[in-house]
């Protein structure tokens, strides 16, 4: 068979109104450039039009009616464009930071709510971290609880050393901006080895805080007050905790970047915002403690 056997004889039936003047036996006009002309969709010859099969059907015999249905058929399904973006992460994080501030202002004037924030934040922190499907309502409630905790703690430290809260806020913003800039430039990246060390160190620090809390409440002993070569142990541990919180921010930036690249659902921006709130609150409290020990040493 001469020509391409896959598209030969695929001409339209006579008088088929769907193909207008190109139908076999229909009304045609002369081609000023000759009796045959090539188009992207097939070959036009005076009195007939041979149409090429679409991609994926080159090796199949397809009738003219089937071919027309293929070209007119819709897509397999709707395209999901509701994907996470950097703007989604920024908006959700900003919203939750605002809720932290609201909670902090309330607790500043009612410090007793600090204990409500501590228990509520602890419970909701575990729930949000373990929940497979992120809940925006729970994330926002967690932010309010963290605000209550931050406000009460800040009021206590501010009573001892006026101006310390503003210093801690400025230091937190500087650390956040620095890590973000370094990550964006590619100069700092989270590594598997460092992440494993971070996990072990964070668990160890959490165990230390729990034991120290129990010892303080029931035995009146605070390990942070112990001095090592004239330096309070609380200052050393606080500086170490600041490094852990800073690396936690780096992991949050890495997670956000990878989630956007993967095209995850927009809902996941709430989970990333939750992680950023955890890291920022942790970083702020640890910086507040470090400044407390530094100012206490300066007063001695």
């Amino acid at each position: 068979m001469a020509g391409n056997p896959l598209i030969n004889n695929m001409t339209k039936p006579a008088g088929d109104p769907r193909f207008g003047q190109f139908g076999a036996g229909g009304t045609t006009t002369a081609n000023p450039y000759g009796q045959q002309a090539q188009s992207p969709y097939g070959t036009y010859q005076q009195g007939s039009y041979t149409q090429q099969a679409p991609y994926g059907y080159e090796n199949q015999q397809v009738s003219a009616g089937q071919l027309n249905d293929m070209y007119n058929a819709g897509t397999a399904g709707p395209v999901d464009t509701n994907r996470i973006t950097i703007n989604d992460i920024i908006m959700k994080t900003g919203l939750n930071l605002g809720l932290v501030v609201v909670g902090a202002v309330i607790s500043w004037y009612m410090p007793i709510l600090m204990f409500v924030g501590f228990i509520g934040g602890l419970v909701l922190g575990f729930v949000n971290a373990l929940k497979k499907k992120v809940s925006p309502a729970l994330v926002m409630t967690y932010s309010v609880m963290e605000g209550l905790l931050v406000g009460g703690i800040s009021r206590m430290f501010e009573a001892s050393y006026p101006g310390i809260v503003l210093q801690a806020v400025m230091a937190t913003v500087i650390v956040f901006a620095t890590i973000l800039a370094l990550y964006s430039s590619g100069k700092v990246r989270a590594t598997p080895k460092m992440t494993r060390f971070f996990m072990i160190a964070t668990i160890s620090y959490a165990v230390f805080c729990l034991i120290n809390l129990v010892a303080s409440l029931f035995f009146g002993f605070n390990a942070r007050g112990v001095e090592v070569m004239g330096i309070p142990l609380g200052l050393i541990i606080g500086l170490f905790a600041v490094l852990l919180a800073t690396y936690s921010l780096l992991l949050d930036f890495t997670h956000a970047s990878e989630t956007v690249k993967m095209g995850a659902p927009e809902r996941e921006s709430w989970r990333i915002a939750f992680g950023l709130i955890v890291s920022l609150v942790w970083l702020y409290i640890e910086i507040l403690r470090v400044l407390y020990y530094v100012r206490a040493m300066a007063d001695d």
Side-chain angles (χ1 to χ4, degrees):
M1 183 181 295
N4 189 339
L6 302 178
I7 60 173
N8 280 344
N9 300 322
M10 292 171 58
T11 55
K12 291 166 280 300
D16 191 337
R18 294 174 299 172
F19 301 96
Q21 64 177 350
F22 298 106
T27 304
T28 62
T29 57
N31 181 5
Y33 301 101
Q35 293 186 342
Q36 181 172 319
Q38 193 73 25
S39 80
Y41 306 101
T43 302
Y44 168 66
Q45 195 167 11
Q46 186 172 0
S48 67
Y49 180 77
T50 301
Q51 202 169 7
Q52 295 179 356
Y55 180 77
Y57 292 87
E58 297 90 341
N59 297 322
Q60 301 181 28
Q61 294 293 337
V62 185
S63 67
Q66 292 173 327
L67 187 61
N68 184 64
D69 292 339
M70 292 176 192
Y71 279 112
N72 292 332
T75 57
V79 179
D80 185 6
T81 58
N82 189 26
R83 300 300 184 185
I84 188 173
T85 65
I86 293 296
N87 287 336
D88 293 328
I89 297 173
I90 294 174
M91 291 178 62
K92 302 302 188 303
T93 303
L95 172 61
N96 283 277
L97 276 176
L99 292 174
V100 171
V101 172
V102 171
V105 171
I106 295 173
S107 185
W108 181 274
Y109 293 102
M110 302 178 65
I112 191 66
L113 294 177
M114 172 181 64
F115 299 101
V116 176
F118 175 76
I119 300 299
L122 189 64
V123 173
L124 289 175
F126 279 109
V127 171
N128 285 321
L130 300 177
K131 194 174 178 61
K132 292 184 178 179
K133 185 177 181 180
V134 63
S135 170
L138 290 180
V139 171
M140 289 188 289
T141 305
Y142 170 81
S143 298
V144 174
M145 293 295 105
E146 288 294 275
L148 295 177
L149 175 63
V150 166
I153 292 178
S154 299
R155 178 67 181 269
M156 292 172 56
F157 279 89
E158 185 72 14
S160 300
Y161 295 101
I164 194 173
V165 170
L166 180 59
Q167 293 174 343
V169 170
M170 292 178 61
T172 302
V173 172
I174 291 172
V175 172
F176 176 85
T178 301
I179 295 300
L180 179 59
L182 290 175
Y183 178 81
S184 299
S185 65
K187 295 181 179 179
V188 174
R189 285 289 184 269
T191 64
K193 185 176 181 180
M194 283 298 299
T195 301
R196 285 193 295 269
F197 173 79
F198 166 80
M199 295 301 297
I200 295 172
T202 301
I203 294 174
S204 301
Y205 177 70
V207 171
F208 166 78
C209 290
L210 181 61
I211 295 175
N212 188 56
L213 178 63
V214 173
S216 300
L217 293 176
F218 295 99
F219 304 102
F221 173 76
N222 189 344
R224 293 179 183 271
V226 176
E227 292 189 356
V228 179
M229 301 178 62
I231 301 175
L233 182 60
L235 177 58
I236 298 174
I237 295 176
L239 290 172
F240 181 68
V242 168
L243 292 177
L244 291 179
T246 301
Y247 191 80
S248 180
L249 277 177
L250 182 61
L251 290 178
D252 290 330
F253 295 149
T254 303
H255 181 211
S257 177
E258 292 177 350
T259 303
V260 172
K261 289 180 181 179
M262 290 170 56
E266 183 272 337
R267 192 183 188 89
E268 286 300 306
S269 60
W270 288 100
R271 193 184 306 278
I272 296 173
F274 164 71
L276 286 168
I277 294 300
V278 172
S279 299
L280 284 170
V281 170
W282 181 17
L283 178 63
Y284 168 77
I285 292 177
E286 296 302 340
I287 289 177
L288 198 59
R289 283 176 173 169
V290 168
L291 291 175
Y292 173 83
Y293 286 109
V294 170
R295 293 186 63 166
M297 292 176 63
D299 288 346
D300 291 342

